Amino acid sequence: MQEPIVITGIGLVTPLGKGRELFWSRLLAGDSGISPVSSFDTSAYSVHLGGEVKDFRAREHVKNLEPESLGRASQMAIAAAYEALEDSGVDLGEIPRERSGVIMGTTSGEPQEVERFDDRYVAGDLRSVGREFMDRYPCHVIPAHMAAELGLAGFNLMIPAACAAGSYAVGQACEVLGSGRADVMLAGGADSFSRITYSGFARLGAIAQEKCQPFDRGRRGMIPGEGAAVLVLETRRRARQRGAHVYAEVAGYGLTCDAHHMTAAHPQGDGAARAMEQALDHSGIHAQEVGYISAHGTGTPTNDRLETLAACRVFGARAGGKPISSIKSMLGHTMGAASAIETAVCALVIEEGKIPPTINFEDPDPECDLDCVPNEARDQRVDVAMNNAYAFGGNNASLVLRRPAS
Amino acid sequence: MSYRAAQPESPQTGNPQTGSSQIPDRRVVVTGFGVVSPLGDSPRELHGRLCAGACALAPIELFDVQDLPVTLGAEIPGFSARDYLGEGNLRPLDRTARLAASATERALADAGLSTEDRHRLSVGLILGTVFGSVGTISAFDRRGLEAGPRYVKPLDFANSVINAAAGQTAIWHGLPGVNSTICSGTSSGLQALAYGADLIRGGRADILVAGGAEELCFESFLGYQRTGRIAGSRNAAPPCAVPFGAGRNGFLLGEGAAFLVLEAEESARDRGVAIRAVLAGSSSGFDPSRGHDGDSAAASLKRCISMALHQAGRESSALGAVSCSANGSPTGDLYEAQGLAQALGDAAGTVPITASKGLLGESLGAGGALQAIILLESLRRGQLPGIGGSESPEAGLPLGRLEPTPRDVIAAVGLATSSSFDGHSCAIVFDGEGGTNE
C-alpha cells in the first residue's frame, strides 16, 4: 500500500451545537436539533420545522477577515476549520503555505446571498445591490475565504456535489495528499439555511410536518438544516512523525452517477450499490468487515426504501445485520454539510466504540428491514465504518473509514 | 488509502490491476473535443475565427439589460440545443445544462464513444462552472416570493443545485461513471481537466468527459458589474477588455461550453482511437491575498506552472505556445504576466502567448476549457491566434510575444494557465507530440 491518509482533526458547527464534544454527547443522547424555522417567515408554508444552527456569532470565530463580509456558510466553515486545526494539533506555521489547502463540498453554497438579491429584485430595488453579491455568493468563495483566513496557498476547490458533496471533498483531499502534493488538507462541507431549499422540498412534499423518522413505516419526509464540518487530513506517516492523535484512516471511496433522474434515485438503487461496491474494492475491505453504516437516511419514503434495497444488494438481507443509523433524525438534513458531518461521525464511532441512534423510530417498515439502532445509542466496537450519501443529480458517494493501524 | 488504486470495476478495458505501488501512474491522453462557443462549435471553426480576429462581443439580446451601464457580452447567437441533441424532452435542461449537454454530445461523438460504450466503459463527467445557473436559482426563488412558496416550480428546483448541469448531462447521455462539478472561479474549467486527470492517473476512472460550462444571464451580468470588474462599469469609461492591453479596464462576460475526452492511454489504445494529445502535467494553487498582494498572486501562478512542467517532465524552453486567462483585468492580467514570466524564465521572451477572452468574453467556468481547446487546436495546426483587439500591450509587461496577429507554433508542447480573481490558479501542460494521428 502507498501512503495511507488519516483523519487527525474534527470541527463541527451543527444544529446540535458547535464543537465536537457537545455535538457527540448530544448525538449519543438522542437529542434533537430540530426547531421552528427562525431565519425566514414560514407562515405561507404548510411545514415549519428546520435544523438551524443556533447562537452562531461569526465574530467569535473569524479572526483575520471581516466577519460581516462573509456569507453564513463561509462563517460556519471557518469556525469548523479552526476547531479542526486546533483538535489536530497541526501548526500551520510549520508547514510551507503552499503545502496546505482546502476542499469543500456544498449543495447551494451561500444561498442567503442570492436570496437577498431576489428580495431586492422583487422589491424593484436592484440599485441597492452592491459588490457584496458576487464577492459572497459564488460557492467557490467558501474554500477561498477559509484559505484567505488561514493563509493556505495550496490546492483550493469547491465540489458542489449537493448532498453527497462532503464525501467528494474528502475523497479528493485524499488524492491530493496521496500523490504528495500537500502536507495537510482541510476537507468538509458547508451550507447555510436556505429559503430556496426549503421552498423546493416543501413543494415536492418532502418535508416532514413533525419529525424526521428515517426507516420508520410512518416516515413523512426530511427536515432541511444547515451546518459545517471540516476534517484535517494528512498522511499517516506525517501524523506519526508528529505524534498526532488519529481518529481513523480513510480506507477508500466510491463515486458513481445514477444517470437516471435529477431528484429521484434509481428504482433498484443501482448507483448507490455500485458506489458501495467500488468503495469496498478500493479499500480492499470485504463487506463482512464493515461494522457500521452511516445511512444517507433522509426520512423520505423513497430514499429510505431504495437505500435499504441498495444496502441489501451489497451486504445481503437486513444489510447483513449491520447497524445502520441516520443522524438526520436528530440534525435534519444539513445538505452540503451532511456527508462531511457523517464522515466525522464514522470516525468518532470507530474512536469511541459508540453508535449514535436513529431517533423517532416507532414502527418498523418491512421495506426498510434494517437494524437502524432505534432510539438508543449503542456501545459497540467498530473497526470499519461506511458513510453513504446520495444527491440530486444522481451523485452517489460511499466512503470507508477504518481503525488506524497501531 | 492507497493513491494508486486497484480498478477492478472496469475489466472491459483490459487494464492491469494497478494495486502494486511499483506500477507508475497511468498516462492521461485526449481523445475527443466538444465545444459550443460564441465563435463556433468546433475546434477548427473556433480556432479559425480567432486567428481571423473575429470578436463575439455585442449588445446583449438574451435578456433585458435594464439600465446597466455596460451592455456588451459574448452570446452564442441563435444557440439551439435541438441542433446538437436531436429529439427528446429538453424542458428539464436550463441554458447551462443545454450548453453542457450539447458540447458533451460533440465530445463523445468525436471520441467515438457510442451509447453502449458509455455504459460499458462507465464514462464519467467532470464539469467546471462558477454558478451552474444563478438565473435558474434566482427565478425559482422569485417565483416563490411573488406567487407564494406553494407555486414554485419543481423542475426549476431540481436545477437549483449547482451540480444540476452535470447531473442533467449525465442523464441525457447515459454517463454512469464519476460525476463531479468543480468550482474554483474562472479557473474552474482548467481545474476540471486537472481533477479528471488525477482520477485517471490514480486509477479511479478510465474515460471522463471533462471541461466547463457557463451561461450568460441577467443575475451574474448585473452582479459582476457591481463589483467594478466589468470593463466600462466604472467612471463611465468606454469598455476595453483587451487582454494585456494598455488601456484595459476590465472584462466582459461571455458564455459557452467546452469539453475534452480524457482517457487512460491503455484504454484509448484498446479502443483503437486516435490520441490527440497527452495531458502531461497539471497543478493548482491559491493566492491567500486574493489579488491584494501582486507578489503573492504572481507567485501562486508561478508555482502552479513550475509544478505542472515538472510533472510533465518538460522545461519551459520546450513550450511552443501558451494559452492564458488574461481577460482585460487591470491587475489580474498584470499578475498573470508576472507569474508566467517568473515560471518561464528566458522562454517568457520567446514563446508565443495568446489570450482569447478579449474576443470570446470571460465565460467563467467554461473559460479554462475553451483555453485548452484553443491551445490544442493551435498545436495541431501550428498556428496560435493573436491577442485580438486594437490595443497595444501595456508597456513593460515581462512577456515578449503578445502580438495581435497569429504566430507560428514550432513546438508541440503547450501550456494553459488560469489565474482567477478570487484567488484560484491552475496550470496544465499538454504534449501534442504524444499524439498518434496527425
PDB file of all heavy atoms in Angstrom, chain A residues 295-306:
ATOM      1  N   ALA A 295     -26.104   5.950   7.390  1.00  0.00           N
ATOM      2  CA  ALA A 295     -27.040   5.996   6.267  1.00  0.00           C
ATOM      3  C   ALA A 295     -27.176   7.414   5.729  1.00  0.00           C
ATOM      4  O   ALA A 295     -26.974   8.385   6.458  1.00  0.00           O
ATOM      5  CB  ALA A 295     -28.411   5.507   6.728  1.00  0.00           C
ATOM      6  N   HIS A 296     -27.536   7.526   4.441  1.00  0.00           N
ATOM      7  CA  HIS A 296     -27.987   8.826   3.948  1.00  0.00           C
ATOM      8  C   HIS A 296     -29.262   9.172   4.712  1.00  0.00           C
ATOM      9  O   HIS A 296     -29.389  10.256   5.233  1.00  0.00           O
ATOM     10  CB  HIS A 296     -28.190   8.775   2.443  1.00  0.00           C
ATOM     11  CG  HIS A 296     -28.498  10.107   1.838  1.00  0.00           C
ATOM     12  ND1 HIS A 296     -27.675  11.194   2.013  1.00  0.00           N
ATOM     13  CD2 HIS A 296     -29.543  10.543   1.094  1.00  0.00           C
ATOM     14  CE1 HIS A 296     -28.201  12.237   1.380  1.00  0.00           C
ATOM     15  NE2 HIS A 296     -29.323  11.876   0.828  1.00  0.00           N
ATOM     16  N   GLY A 297     -30.207   8.220   4.756  1.00  0.00           N
ATOM     17  CA  GLY A 297     -31.318   8.248   5.707  1.00  0.00           C
ATOM     18  C   GLY A 297     -32.039   9.565   5.866  1.00  0.00           C
ATOM     19  O   GLY A 297     -32.171  10.082   6.971  1.00  0.00           O
ATOM     20  N   THR A 298     -32.571  10.108   4.775  1.00  0.00           N
ATOM     21  CA  THR A 298     -33.206  11.425   4.864  1.00  0.00           C
ATOM     22  C   THR A 298     -34.545  11.377   5.578  1.00  0.00           C
ATOM     23  O   THR A 298     -34.998  12.394   6.087  1.00  0.00           O
ATOM     24  CB  THR A 298     -33.451  12.012   3.464  1.00  0.00           C
ATOM     25  OG1 THR A 298     -34.237  11.074   2.712  1.00  0.00           O
ATOM     26  CG2 THR A 298     -32.149  12.283   2.746  1.00  0.00           C
ATOM     27  N   GLY A 299     -35.202  10.204   5.564  1.00  0.00           N
ATOM     28  CA  GLY A 299     -36.536  10.118   6.146  1.00  0.00           C
ATOM     29  C   GLY A 299     -37.652  10.292   5.136  1.00  0.00           C
ATOM     30  O   GLY A 299     -38.824  10.327   5.513  1.00  0.00           O
ATOM     31  N   THR A 300     -37.314  10.420   3.849  1.00  0.00           N
ATOM     32  CA  THR A 300     -38.379  10.431   2.844  1.00  0.00           C
ATOM     33  C   THR A 300     -38.752   8.990   2.542  1.00  0.00           C
ATOM     34  O   THR A 300     -37.914   8.082   2.625  1.00  0.00           O
ATOM     35  CB  THR A 300     -37.959  11.128   1.535  1.00  0.00           C
ATOM     36  OG1 THR A 300     -36.895  10.391   0.917  1.00  0.00           O
ATOM     37  CG2 THR A 300     -37.491  12.547   1.795  1.00  0.00           C
ATOM     38  N   PRO A 301     -40.022   8.766   2.189  1.00  0.00           N
ATOM     39  CA  PRO A 301     -40.440   7.381   1.919  1.00  0.00           C
ATOM     40  C   PRO A 301     -39.547   6.697   0.886  1.00  0.00           C
ATOM     41  O   PRO A 301     -39.120   5.557   1.076  1.00  0.00           O
ATOM     42  CB  PRO A 301     -41.885   7.566   1.406  1.00  0.00           C
ATOM     43  CG  PRO A 301     -42.370   8.807   2.100  1.00  0.00           C
ATOM     44  CD  PRO A 301     -41.153   9.710   2.168  1.00  0.00           C
ATOM     45  N   THR A 302     -39.224   7.396  -0.199  1.00  0.00           N
ATOM     46  CA  THR A 302     -38.487   6.757  -1.283  1.00  0.00           C
ATOM     47  C   THR A 302     -37.022   6.538  -0.937  1.00  0.00           C
ATOM     48  O   THR A 302     -36.475   5.463  -1.164  1.00  0.00           O
ATOM     49  CB  THR A 302     -38.574   7.620  -2.558  1.00  0.00           C
ATOM     50  OG1 THR A 302     -39.941   7.948  -2.773  1.00  0.00           O
ATOM     51  CG2 THR A 302     -38.049   6.854  -3.746  1.00  0.00           C
ATOM     52  N   ASN A 303     -36.370   7.560  -0.412  1.00  0.00           N
ATOM     53  CA  ASN A 303     -34.939   7.398  -0.137  1.00  0.00           C
ATOM     54  C   ASN A 303     -34.674   6.192   0.749  1.00  0.00           C
ATOM     55  O   ASN A 303     -33.814   5.361   0.446  1.00  0.00           O
ATOM     56  CB  ASN A 303     -34.343   8.630   0.538  1.00  0.00           C
ATOM     57  CG  ASN A 303     -32.882   8.396   0.933  1.00  0.00           C
ATOM     58  OD1 ASN A 303     -31.985   8.535   0.117  1.00  0.00           O
ATOM     59  ND2 ASN A 303     -32.638   7.969   2.169  1.00  0.00           N
ATOM     60  N   ASP A 304     -35.405   6.094   1.836  1.00  0.00           N
ATOM     61  CA  ASP A 304     -35.076   5.069   2.823  1.00  0.00           C
ATOM     62  C   ASP A 304     -35.360   3.665   2.267  1.00  0.00           C
ATOM     63  O   ASP A 304     -34.631   2.718   2.548  1.00  0.00           O
ATOM     64  CB  ASP A 304     -35.855   5.311   4.113  1.00  0.00           C
ATOM     65  CG  ASP A 304     -35.450   6.620   4.792  1.00  0.00           C
ATOM     66  OD1 ASP A 304     -34.588   7.325   4.234  1.00  0.00           O
ATOM     67  OD2 ASP A 304     -36.002   6.928   5.862  1.00  0.00           O
ATOM     68  N   ARG A 305     -36.420   3.559   1.456  1.00  0.00           N
ATOM     69  CA  ARG A 305     -36.727   2.261   0.848  1.00  0.00           C
ATOM     70  C   ARG A 305     -35.634   1.851  -0.137  1.00  0.00           C
ATOM     71  O   ARG A 305     -35.124   0.729  -0.104  1.00  0.00           O
ATOM     72  CB  ARG A 305     -38.087   2.343   0.138  1.00  0.00           C
ATOM     73  CG  ARG A 305     -38.516   1.052  -0.527  1.00  0.00           C
ATOM     74  CD  ARG A 305     -39.954   1.149  -1.048  1.00  0.00           C
ATOM     75  NE  ARG A 305     -40.143   2.229  -2.022  1.00  0.00           N
ATOM     76  CZ  ARG A 305     -39.787   2.146  -3.300  1.00  0.00           C
ATOM     77  NH1 ARG A 305     -39.216   1.056  -3.766  1.00  0.00           N
ATOM     78  NH2 ARG A 305     -39.984   3.169  -4.129  1.00  0.00           N
ATOM     79  N   LEU A 306     -35.241   2.796  -1.016  1.00  0.00           N
ATOM     80  CA  LEU A 306     -34.234   2.448  -2.022  1.00  0.00           C
ATOM     81  C   LEU A 306     -32.852   2.278  -1.400  1.00  0.00           C
ATOM     82  O   LEU A 306     -32.054   1.453  -1.851  1.00  0.00           O
ATOM     83  CB  LEU A 306     -34.200   3.518  -3.124  1.00  0.00           C
ATOM     84  CG  LEU A 306     -35.474   3.572  -3.967  1.00  0.00           C
ATOM     85  CD1 LEU A 306     -35.402   4.701  -4.967  1.00  0.00           C
ATOM     86  CD2 LEU A 306     -35.687   2.240  -4.676  1.00  0.00           C
TER      87      LEU A 306
END
